[in-house]
Amino acid sequence: MAVRDILKMGDSRLLRVALPVLKFDTDELHGLITDLLDTMAAANGAGLAAPQIGVDLQVVIFGTGELISRYPDAPVVPRTVLINPVITPLDDAEETDWEGCLSVPGLRAKVPRWARIRYSGVDQYGDPIDRTVDGFHARVVQHECDHLIGKLYPMRVRDFSKFGFTEVLFPGLEAPLDD
Ligand code: NI
C-alpha cells in the first residue's frame, strides 16, 4: 500500500510502550502490515516494528524467508508477522553480536541478547505462533520486540568501544542488515 517514513532515534514516539492489538483480521490491521512490509522492503531491512512508523501497537514483522546476499552468513528466518508477543529466555546464556536499526541509520554496535528464547504471540488472523529459536533468529525477535517497549538497541549496549559508524567499522564491506 505505502512506504511510510521511518522515525529516527530522538523521536519520543519510539519510547512508548505499545498497546496490544485487540481485533484481528481487520482491514485496518491488514493495511498496517502491508505498510510495514512495503517499508521494510524499501529500506532493505531484516525487520520492522509498528512504532517505527509511528503506530503505537504491538506489531512487528521480521525475516525474509530466503538467504540475503548482503548478509550471507545469516540463517534463513521465516517471514513472520508477530503481534502481542511474549519472549521467554530458555536459560541465562547470552550472545553478543552486531546490530543496526533503521531508526538509528549509519551506526552499528555489538549488543548482548539472550542466546535461546521461546516466543509466542499471534499473527494478523489471531492464529497462535509459538517458537523456540536461537542465534540470529532469536536476536532479530528480541530487537524487534524491544521496539514495543520503547527500547532501541543503543540502550542495550554495554561495551561502547563496539559502537560506531558502519562505514568506519566495516570499511569497504556491504553493511549488514538494519532492523
Ligand atoms: Ni530496530
Side-chain angles (χ1 to χ4, degrees):
M1 266 170 43
V3 174
R4 305 270 292 265
D5 288 337
I6 297 175
L7 306 184
K8 293 195 181 79
M9 185 170 63
D11 191 308
S12 62
R13 289 173 288 178
L14 289 169
L15 302 177
R16 298 183 292 195
V17 175
L19 300 170
V21 174
L22 302 176
K23 292 182 179 174
F24 300 92
D25 199 14
T26 64
D27 289 346
E28 185 180 16
L29 184 57
H30 291 307
L32 168 62
I33 288 159
T34 301
D35 284 2
L36 286 168
L37 290 166
D38 289 350
T39 304
M40 183 176 81
N44 200 20
L48 192 65
Q52 291 181 277
I53 59 169
V55 175
D56 191 27
L57 290 172
Q58 293 179 25
V59 179
V60 303
I61 63 168
F62 54 85
T64 61
E66 58 190 24
L67 282 174
I68 304 152
S69 60
R70 58 197 290 239
Y71 204 175
D73 294 334
V76 173
V77 177
R79 170 68 56 82
T80 301
V81 173
L82 180 63
I83 299 173
N84 301 346
V86 175
I87 293 178
T88 308
L90 295 187
D91 53 44
D92 289 338
E94 293 181 352
E95 288 177 355
T96 300
D97 208 345
W98 294 102
E99 291 185 23
C101 180
L102 295 172
S103 294
V104 191
L107 294 166
R108 292 289 185 281
K110 279 202 159 183
V111 183
R113 300 287 185 187
W114 301 117
R116 287 175 285 279
I117 61 168
R118 177 180 179 182
Y119 69 93
S120 60
V122 295
D123 67 11
Q124 62 269 49
Y125 302 99
D127 293 328
I129 294 170
D130 188 340
R131 295 176 180 155
T132 298
V133 301
D134 58 12
F136 180 71
H137 190 156
R139 176 168 301 277
V140 169
V141 172
Q142 289 171 84
H143 177 115
E144 294 312 325
C145 292
D146 258 1
H147 281 295
L148 305 181
I149 57 169
K151 295 277 188 196
L152 299 168
Y153 81 77
M155 302 173 186
R156 301 288 191 193
V157 171
R158 296 190 196 131
D159 179 0
F160 282 91
S161 74
K162 298 294 189 297
F163 186 24
F165 290 94
T166 308
E167 65 194 35
V168 180
L169 289 163
F170 304 102
L173 291 179
E174 278 198 273
L177 283 171
D178 281 322
D179 44 29

